[in-house]
Amino acid sequence: MDKQRHFGMRINDTTLKKFHYVAKYDDRSVSGQIMYLIHKSIRDFEKEHGVIEIEVSEEGED
């Protein structure tokens, strides 16, 4: 099972407020909108370049 990781980032207030607006428009939370965009980016990349192969590490390793 994949571990959930915390990810922090810096963003200016105006951009964050606009992002909240877009997320609400799409009926998503801000976190949900970010995850949607991340997954979409990966799908688009893999569609153009092929599947990204990720080496699975043993539990407890990063």
Side-chain angles (χ1 to χ4, degrees), residues 4-32:
Q4 296 263 332
R5 302 285 185 149
H6 181 266
F7 172 71
M9 65 181 288
R10 296 177 191 269
I11 186 169
N12 73 49
D13 193 50
T14 300
T15 301
L16 181 59
K17 286 178 181 178
K18 288 181 179 185
F19 194 74
H20 272 272
Y21 183 94
V22 172
K24 186 175 181 179
Y25 181 87
D26 287 341
D27 198 28
R28 293 187 182 97
S29 66
V30 171
S31 292

Side-chain angles (χ1 to χ4, degrees), residues 8 18 22 30 35-36 43-44 51 61:
K18 288 181 179 185
V22 172
V30 171
M35 289 306 303
Y36 167 78
R43 279 192 313 272
D44 293 348
V51 175
E61 294 181 16

